[in-house]
Amino acid sequence: MTWAVIAKQDARTTVGARSVKVLLGLLAFVVLLFAYIYPVVGGDTISTARFPGFVSGALATLVPLVALLLGYNAVAGERESGAVLLSLSLPHSRRDLVLGKYVSRTGLVAGTLLVSLVGAGALVVYPFGELDVVPFLAFVLFSLSFTAVWSGLGVAVSLAASTKRRALVAGFALFFLFVVVWDAVTGALQAGLTAVELIDGSLPDPLRFVVGLEPGRAFGRLVTGFVDPTDSIEGAWYLSKWVSLVVLELWVVGPMALAFLWFDGRDLS
Amino acid sequence: MEAIGAHDVSKEYGSETALDRVELTVEQGETFGFLGPNGAGKSTFINVLLDFVKPSSGTAEIFGNDCQENGVAARERVGVLPEGYSVFDRLTGKQHIEYAIRSKEVEADPIEILDRVGIRDAAEQKATEYSKGMAQRLVLGMALVGEPDLLLLDEPSTGLDPNGAAEMRDILREENERGATIFFSSHILEQVEAVCDRVGILQDGELVAVDTIEGLRESLGGGTKLVITVDALKNGTMETIRSVGGVETALARDDATVEVTCTNDAKMDVVVELHQAGVDVVNFRTEEASLEDMFIEYTGSAHR
């Protein structure tokens, strides 16, 4: 188990790149900016339980972008250049390599997000807000899981693609599908089915479930269900917050596991 | 104990056969030269040992550990200089060595190692700025970390000038004297001839010969090379020589000199045959066949 050596090495060189500093700085800046604005526009009750509902939409866009951009090059670039052969000439297994890269890239984004959210919590509480510890802690955990999902997707495309460029294209395809157009497609589906009078304005539960499988939706439902006191979710059992929790955790492990199995069986040169 | 054991290792890429049932054992303490023209499958074989490439069939072991099933254990006591690598972005030479030290979980002084491979002065320089030869020295340095029991080197002298190649050979000798097994591939014969106990010759994915240098010489009909100077080569002279029983190869060096490898008994027959064909033999001498001749003999890669 030498993944820690790889993780440490990777984190050190990754964070040395200016583009990475910019991305992580952007993430921290946006989270803190939202925390700074929130007490001004947040209405009567300012609390750390309500703040997540305010910031989660921004996170649902920004976290995928930052995590993908950090993750897509985790392995693909070194595989393309041949540097990966130097690592694997040493007594590292491919599993250690992938785990180390994943821990490093996820850790950088998750660590930045954690620190920013703690800072944001402080900005919300002082001077006029309320501190609701449990919902806010839950929100932090969900945010970190959501980060792990997108970082995992980034590393997964990095494992599946044989070149850096292909990994970047695949990463953007995922981002485009899940983050950019998912809502529009859902809306179009809803409008279409309503127009042909198959449904009456809102999607039936099974379809809502399918649409809700997207990681950002699952993350949003967790915030709605567990954290935000002003909101709740309704519908069949498979639309519950607990199922959303399972869906999000499956996104954490599923793509990485599949991509690793693919990578592990590949010839590298 | 076997340092390397390959059993019926084959690798196919579609309909291309890169390795064809390679059977090879390298004993501990040997210096083994793995010889063959470019594209013969030398790197593919080494990559199977490193699990960069999965064999289509057969198994390979390093110190008894299966290279595919148990790759980390197999590479634990091995120093590697692979083919087709590149150095890490943003790391200095010294940091490369440090990475190898941490990965192998050993204690070592990176500067001492860089000094040994001759790039101490470039220790703090980014390795991406290194020349090919310096990168080659750096990766050899990474391989030397932790006094490995086996050095697995794929074309180690690539990018080195003759001086550098000689230094590389010196290091290999020192490592072998320390007790390490050396396995390295090359398409340059003199390097193999200079340091190897045994050589294997790979041709089109097939291991066509494994022997000591002396053994290879003997198997080549006594290994006699005849250099014959004649007044002038005529049409058909080469064919005449080749038709003599016991002649292995005949090459025209220029328009008045012929090199013939043949059995000892055939030497006079060649001269007699030439005389009968009306060619005047001005001079002739014999030489011991070099590995180059054997290599040409085995691989048929001469410019004939």
Side-chain angles (χ1 to χ4, degrees), chain B residues 123-194:
Chain B
E124 303 298 338
Q125 206 179 322
K126 293 265 183 287
T128 40
E129 296 163 6
Y130 282 11
S131 67
K132 174 70 187 164
M134 286 167 80
Q136 202 75 351
R137 287 163 184 264
L138 175 63
V139 178
L140 176 69
M142 291 174 74
L144 294 176
V145 166
E147 304 209 325
D149 295 337
L150 169 65
L151 281 171
L152 205 54
L153 315 168
D154 199 343
E155 298 273 359
S157 55
T158 306
L160 296 178
D161 54 27
N163 223 0
E167 282 172 42
M168 168 85 69
R169 283 199 294 277
D170 287 343
I171 290 176
L172 296 190
R173 262 193 218 102
E174 286 161 23
E175 288 293 301
N176 186 242
E177 275 159 25
R178 175 177 66 72
T181 310
I182 318 276
F183 182 97
F184 76 97
S185 73
S186 181
H187 65 279
I188 300 167
L189 303 152
E190 50 180 358
Q191 296 177 348
V192 174
E193 206 169 8

Side-chain angles (χ1 to χ4, degrees), chain A residues 5-6 9 12-13 17 78 81-83 85-94 264-269, chain B residues 11 13 47 51-54 72 75-76 80 82-88 90-91 95 99 102-104 139:
Chain A
V5 174
I6 294 189
Q9 177 86 347
R12 208 171 7 143
T13 49
E78 288 195 352
S81 73
L85 301 182
L86 279 195
S87 280
L88 291 176
S89 290
L90 295 164
H92 300 297
S93 64
R94 292 193 196 185
D264 200 33
R266 254 354 64 187
D267 286 348
L268 295 180
S269 62
Chain B
K11 176 67 186 179
Y13 293 102
N47 287 341
D51 196 32
F52 297 166
V53 166
K54 317 277 177 183
V72 174
R75 288 195 302 277
E76 208 113 75
V80 181
E83 186 234 21
Y85 69 86
S86 88
V87 296
F88 295 107
R90 286 194 285 275
L91 289 190
Q95 286 169 330
Y99 176 53
R102 281 197 304 276
S103 297
K104 296 183 185 182
V139 178

Side-chain angles (χ1 to χ4, degrees), chain B residues 14-274:
Chain B
S15 60
E16 288 274 295
T17 302
L19 288 177
D20 191 1
R21 289 160 294 171
V22 172
E23 186 79 30
L24 178 65
T25 305
V26 176
E27 294 296 331
Q28 208 160 354
E30 269 193 282
T31 297
F32 190 95
F34 200 44
L35 209 49
N38 289 328
K42 301 188 299 289
S43 292
T44 307
F45 180 75
I46 290 175
N47 287 341
V48 167
L49 295 177
L50 297 172
D51 196 32
F52 297 166
V53 166
K54 317 277 177 183
S56 306
S57 64
T59 57
E61 292 173 353
I62 295 178
F63 296 121
N65 295 301
D66 188 286
C67 297
Q68 271 62 47
E69 302 302 316
N70 211 354
V72 174
R75 288 195 302 277
E76 208 113 75
R77 296 153 67 195
V78 181
V80 181
L81 195 163
E83 186 234 21
Y85 69 86
S86 88
V87 296
F88 295 107
D89 279 349
R90 286 194 285 275
L91 289 190
T92 64
K94 186 172 164 220
Q95 286 169 330
H96 275 78
I97 303 291
E98 285 168 346
Y99 176 53
I101 290 171
R102 281 197 304 276
S103 297
K104 296 183 185 182
E105 296 170 321
V106 294
E107 298 282 326
D109 178 5
I111 294 297
E112 208 170 279
I113 289 167
L114 289 171
D115 193 34
R116 190 164 172 214
V117 295
I119 50 168
R120 183 186 185 145
D121 292 344
E124 303 298 338
Q125 206 179 322
K126 293 265 183 287
T128 40
E129 296 163 6
Y130 282 11
S131 67
K132 174 70 187 164
M134 286 167 80
Q136 202 75 351
R137 287 163 184 264
L138 175 63
V139 178
L140 176 69
M142 291 174 74
L144 294 176
V145 166
E147 304 209 325
D149 295 337
L150 169 65
L151 281 171
L152 205 54
L153 315 168
D154 199 343
E155 298 273 359
S157 55
T158 306
L160 296 178
D161 54 27
N163 223 0
E167 282 172 42
M168 168 85 69
R169 283 199 294 277
D170 287 343
I171 290 176
L172 296 190
R173 262 193 218 102
E174 286 161 23
E175 288 293 301
N176 186 242
E177 275 159 25
R178 175 177 66 72
T181 310
I182 318 276
F183 182 97
F184 76 97
S185 73
S186 181
H187 65 279
I188 300 167
L189 303 152
E190 50 180 358
Q191 296 177 348
V192 174
E193 206 169 8
V195 292
C196 289
D197 301 319
R198 285 201 304 152
V199 295
I201 298 180
L202 198 68
Q203 167 71 2
D204 289 336
E206 257 181 279
L207 200 56
V208 292
V210 180
D211 211 335
T212 58
I213 306 238
E214 294 72 38
L216 282 179
R217 283 210 175 99
E218 269 166 36
S219 71
L220 267 169
T224 301
K225 185 160 92 175
L226 216 50
V227 182
I228 307 169
T229 312
V230 296
D231 55 348
L233 280 178
K234 296 175 185 162
N235 277 342
T237 305
M238 296 308 292
E239 282 68 31
T240 310
I241 297 172
R242 286 190 188 116
S243 69
V244 176
V247 169
E248 313 257 354
T249 61
L251 292 148
R253 195 188 269 174
D254 53 50
D255 53 9
T257 314
V258 186
E259 284 183 8
V260 180
T261 55
C262 60
T263 61
N264 260 323
D265 304 341
K267 279 194 286 194
M268 283 322 289
D269 296 348
V270 172
V271 179
V272 168
E273 195 67 34
L274 281 173

Side-chain angles (χ1 to χ4, degrees), chain A residues 4-91:
Chain A
V5 174
I6 294 189
K8 213 167 134 190
Q9 177 86 347
D10 185 70
R12 208 171 7 143
T13 49
T14 305
V15 89
R18 185 178 300 155
S19 58
V20 171
K21 286 188 189 122
V22 168
L23 279 172
L24 295 177
L26 176 72
L27 179 63
F29 174 75
V30 169
V31 170
L32 292 174
L33 181 69
F34 270 70
Y36 187 74
I37 302 171
Y38 167 67
V40 182
V41 299
D44 298 337
T45 315
I46 303 299
S47 82
T48 54
R50 294 185 181 207
F51 171 65
F54 180 71
V55 77
S56 66
L59 288 187
T61 304
L62 195 59
V63 165
L65 187 70
V66 173
L68 273 177
L69 284 175
L70 251 78
Y72 88 93
N73 197 22
V75 180
E78 288 195 352
R79 192 172 161 198
E80 193 175 357
S81 73
V84 76
L85 301 182
L86 279 195
S87 280
L88 291 176
S89 290
L90 295 164

Side-chain angles (χ1 to χ4, degrees), chain A residues 23-169:
Chain A
L23 279 172
L24 295 177
L26 176 72
L27 179 63
F29 174 75
V30 169
V31 170
L32 292 174
L33 181 69
F34 270 70
Y36 187 74
I37 302 171
Y38 167 67
V40 182
V41 299
D44 298 337
T45 315
I46 303 299
S47 82
T48 54
R50 294 185 181 207
F51 171 65
F54 180 71
V55 77
S56 66
L59 288 187
T61 304
L62 195 59
V63 165
L65 187 70
V66 173
L68 273 177
L69 284 175
L70 251 78
Y72 88 93
N73 197 22
V75 180
E78 288 195 352
R79 192 172 161 198
E80 193 175 357
S81 73
V84 76
L85 301 182
L86 279 195
S87 280
L88 291 176
S89 290
L90 295 164
H92 300 297
S93 64
R94 292 193 196 185
R95 194 187 59 187
D96 285 336
L97 175 84
V98 171
L99 191 61
K101 292 281 185 183
Y102 177 68
V103 168
S104 153
R105 307 283 162 135
T106 308
L108 287 175
V109 188
T112 305
L113 188 61
L114 179 65
V115 171
S116 333
L117 283 175
V118 169
L123 281 175
V124 169
V125 173
Y126 295 105
F128 306 117
E130 290 165 27
L131 177 65
D132 272 331
V133 176
V134 174
F136 192 67
L137 272 184
F139 173 66
V140 170
L141 285 179
F142 298 150
S143 302
L144 297 183
S145 287
F146 185 59
T147 305
V149 169
W150 279 97
S151 170
L153 285 169
V155 176
V157 296
S158 197
L159 291 172
S162 51
T163 67
K164 197 171 154 178
R165 179 183 294 266
R166 283 187 206 168
L168 185 60
V169 170

